[in-house]
């Protein structure tokens, strides 16, 4: 194969691979106007299901939330991932992040959790769950309810709350969210306000070095004191 043709073939292959690695939207109804909202503290925990694709990757979750115009702004809601059992949320898989009352307003707002890097089972149902995690009074955060049971990946999924029970999306309008396998700047899910990144967990080697350093510092102080 001539060098020029070989280069063109390689470029075509590279473009094809890049196109195949593009983000996939798994669930999206945040572009539907909300008609109501449920309070996480009084109605929840609240849940909405989605299904992974053949890759099992989830990297971004965006939710439509508000804080009811809360003036105290001391509450927070924990956003979790659950596995599925009998079309119901089951075991807690991961804590995805927190939404603080102070990060939101009285108007429905996109609240995004990015760079999640979750590797889940392919073609499997999971649940996003919101629960009140406040320690200084209840959270005023609400999760918006879509005005219709339409949207990408919405059909065949479920929504649930502790107060109202479990419903198929086609019988009870679901909560508004977007789930994608894309990166942190993936435009397929609205970015809006973002959850703060989780605090890094020190690796064992780092902890060991820190312990050695603190021990050495203590010995140095003793020698100076002597």
């Amino acid at each position: 194969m001539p060098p020029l043709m070989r280069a063109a073939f390689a470029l075509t292959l590279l473009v094809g691979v890049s196109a195949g690695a593009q983000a996939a939207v798994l669930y999206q109804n945040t572009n539907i106007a909300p008609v109501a909202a449920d309070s996480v503290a009084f109605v929840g925990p609240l849940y909405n299901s989605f299904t992974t694709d053949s890759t099992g990757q989830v990297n971004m979750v965006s939710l439509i939330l508000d804080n009811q115009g809360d003036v105290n702004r001391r509450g927070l809601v924990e956003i979790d991932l659950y596995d599925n059992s009998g079309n119901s949320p089951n075991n807690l898989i991961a804590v995805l992040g927190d939404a603080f009352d102070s990060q939101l307003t009285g108007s429905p707002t996109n609240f995004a959790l990015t760079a999640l890097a979750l590797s889940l089972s392919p073609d499997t149902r999971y649940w996003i769950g919101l629960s009140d995690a406040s320690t200084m009074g209840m959270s005023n955060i609400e999760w918006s309810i879509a005005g219709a049971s339409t949207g990408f990946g919405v059909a065949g999924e479920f929504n649930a709350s502790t107060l109202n029970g479990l419903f198929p999306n086609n019988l009870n309008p679901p909560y508004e969210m977007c789930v994608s396998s894309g990166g942190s700047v993936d435009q397929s899910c609205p970015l809006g306000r973002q959850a703060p990144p989780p605090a890094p967990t020190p690796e064992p080697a780092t902890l060991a070095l820190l312990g050695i350093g603190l021990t050495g510092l203590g010995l140095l102080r003793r020698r100076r004191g002597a």
Side-chain angles (χ1 to χ4, degrees):
M1 182 183 294
L4 185 58
M5 187 179 297
R6 190 180 306 154
F9 177 78
L11 180 60
T12 302
L13 181 61
L14 179 61
V15 171
V17 170
S18 299
Q22 287 181 353
V25 177
L26 307 175
Y27 188 107
Q28 164 63 307
N29 68 346
T30 60
N31 53 353
I32 299 174
V35 292
D38 278 346
S39 165
V40 178
F42 291 100
V43 181
L46 312 177
Y47 307 91
N48 210 102
S49 72
F50 70 95
T51 298
T52 57
D53 61 12
S54 59
T55 69
Q57 301 300 307
V58 171
N59 207 50
M60 184 173 180
V61 174
S62 184
L63 311 171
I64 305 295
L65 307 176
D66 71 80
N67 69 357
Q68 305 180 60
D70 171 44
V71 294
N72 293 319
R73 300 191 172 189
R74 293 180 176 178
L76 73 143
V77 160
E78 184 176 287
I79 304 171
D80 299 315
L81 177 72
Y82 294 85
D83 66 7
N84 178 75
S85 178
N87 294 330
S88 298
N90 191 32
N91 297 311
L92 175 65
I93 298 297
V95 176
L96 304 183
D98 294 318
F100 292 82
D101 286 43
S102 58
Q103 293 176 285
L104 301 166
T105 68
S107 301
T109 304
N110 289 311
F111 185 82
L113 300 105
T114 62
L116 297 175
L118 299 172
S119 295
L120 307 176
S121 298
D123 303 314
T124 301
R125 175 168 290 125
Y126 289 89
W127 293 77
I128 300 296
L130 273 62
S131 58
D132 189 355
S134 305
T135 57
M136 301 177 66
M138 292 190 209
S139 169
N140 283 324
I141 291 178
E142 297 178 314
W143 195 356
S144 291
I145 299 171
S149 298
T150 57
F152 186 85
V154 173
E157 298 298 338
F158 299 82
N159 62 87
S161 69
T162 300
L163 183 64
N164 298 322
L166 174 72
F167 296 93
N169 282 355
N170 65 319
L171 295 182
N172 193 59
Y175 296 111
E176 293 199 288
M177 70 177 186
C178 183
V179 182
S180 171
S181 63
S184 60
V185 294
D186 177 25
Q187 297 303 310
S188 55
C189 284
L191 200 56
R193 299 174 183 270
Q194 295 186 62
T201 302
E203 297 181 1
T206 304
L207 292 175
L209 289 173
L210 179 60
I212 293 172
L214 292 175
T215 302
L217 183 60
L219 293 174
L220 182 60
R221 286 180 176 174
R222 287 181 185 177
R223 289 177 181 176
R224 287 182 177 178

